[in-house]
Amino acid sequence: MPNLLVKPKGDRGRVTHVTPDTAGWTYVGFDIHRLKPGETVSGAASDREVCLVWVAGKGKATAAGEDFGSVGGRMSPFEGAPHSLYVPAGTSWSVTAETDLELAVCSAPGGGDYKAKLIPPGVHPQFQRGKGSNVRLVTNIMPEDDNSAHSLLVVEVITPNGNTSSYPSHKHDQDNLPNESLLEETYYHRMNPPQGFAFQRVYTDDRSLDEAMAVENGDVTLVPKGYHPCATVHGYDLYYLNVMAGPKRVWKFHNQPEHEWLLKA
């Protein structure tokens, strides 16, 4: 199995590149581009749909032959809600940076009759999940109930310092609806302040997969199967951008029975 911890390569251009081939799976692709003002990144038409997420910065965007103008605004993923742009399969896209720009390119197999669409802040308001030291702030970008994509599910989460997240441990690795859906998943991690670190564990019931990773600013973790909780340390907030996709665009997870009591405590 490929290494589940993907470190960024360099600090400019395409610094992260995850494909189904490199991840050893079928559906999810994920890239991070870091651009200076005036630099351009583009994607050719293919059989994959794309969600562009402005992690930080501003850039002029075109997609599917449409000019979407200047997109973005926040200069850090910890400074408010994201701007995003959905690009259907069979169409191309281009973004030219107006400021320093960090752009995430989330992709999965496309299909259907979907249209390119800007997803501005506020379309899906941020909400709090969890309580006590298990609090996180969730901003859906492309949730399953918006019926705007063939495969992609995309969400941002901020976990305040000292809290756990994606917890109690849950998994979604069985194509067994309505009980559980099969979804591959990537986590793109950012820390505030950036010198911080957090932890993520990916493991299965039989422990045939059991990896605990220290994640730093800019790291990507792969979740091909199993449970995948995170924990951040005192003094450092954790941001992550999740991309999920599978045979059905449904997020139905299974809680690890040993820890499910926490939901009732």
Side-chain angles (χ1 to χ4, degrees):
M1 179 175 291
N3 187 351
L4 301 187
L5 182 62
V6 181
K7 292 282 187 179
K9 295 183 178 180
D11 56 10
R12 189 167 174 181
R14 188 178 68 187
V15 299
T16 299
H17 185 47
V18 176
T19 70
D21 285 342
T22 64
W25 58 29
T26 304
Y27 299 97
V28 172
F30 184 77
D31 289 350
I32 288 288
H33 296 268
R34 293 180 184 159
L35 307 178
K36 292 295 183 182
E39 294 180 336
T40 297
V41 61
S42 60
S46 74
D47 60 356
R48 296 177 67 79
E49 63 185 8
V50 168
C51 179
L52 304 174
V53 180
W54 275 248
V55 178
K58 296 177 66 175
K60 293 181 179 179
T62 62
E66 185 175 351
D67 185 353
F68 288 92
S70 181
V71 180
R74 68 181 185 183
M75 298 309 293
S76 161
F78 298 94
E79 292 180 354
H83 288 77
S84 303
L85 177 62
Y86 172 73
V87 185
T91 65
S92 60
W93 59 268
S94 177
V95 175
T96 299
E98 298 176 280
T99 67
D100 286 348
L101 175 63
E102 184 170 355
L103 185 73
V105 182
C106 319
S107 70
D113 186 23
Y114 298 98
K115 305 300 182 185
K117 182 177 74 169
L118 191 66
I119 308 168
V123 172
H124 303 288
Q126 187 182 77
F127 63 94
Q128 179 176 307
R129 183 177 290 151
K131 58 186 178 180
S133 59
N134 191 43
V135 165
R136 55 274 203 204
L137 304 174
V138 180
T139 302
N140 281 310
I141 297 172
M142 298 191 71
E144 64 176 304
D145 60 3
D146 70 358
N147 192 34
S148 62
H150 179 73
S151 297
L152 278 170
L153 296 163
V154 184
V155 60
E156 282 191 346
V157 179
I158 293 178
T159 306
N161 75 93
N163 279 256
T164 51
S165 193
S166 296
Y167 188 76
S169 302
H170 70 267
K171 71 181 184 74
H172 36 73
D173 58 15
Q174 300 294 318
D175 189 6
N176 183 32
L177 291 170
N179 299 310
E180 185 176 351
S181 55
L182 192 164
L183 295 169
E184 303 162 352
E185 186 168 19
T186 54
Y187 278 66
Y188 173 56
H189 293 282
R190 290 285 305 275
M191 304 300 307
N192 184 35
Q195 71 269 27
F197 63 94
F199 297 97
Q200 185 162 29
R201 185 185 181 194
V202 180
Y203 64 102
T204 56
D205 285 306
D206 63 4
R207 304 302 193 267
S208 60
L209 174 61
D210 191 356
E211 291 197 23
M213 294 164 279
V215 295
E216 297 178 302
N217 195 48
D219 288 352
V220 171
T221 51
L222 309 180
V223 183
K225 60 181 178 179
Y227 308 102
H228 40 279
C230 301
T232 188
V233 297
H234 174 71
Y236 295 97
D237 296 335
L238 171 67
Y239 161 97
Y240 55 79
L241 174 63
N242 284 142
V243 184
M244 293 180 282
K248 300 179 182 68
R249 192 174 181 261
V250 178
W251 184 54
K252 186 69 174 179
F253 59 85
H254 168 77
N255 290 312
Q256 187 177 6
E258 295 93 322
H259 305 306
E260 199 164 26
W261 67 271
L262 290 163
L263 296 172
K264 304 172 185 178

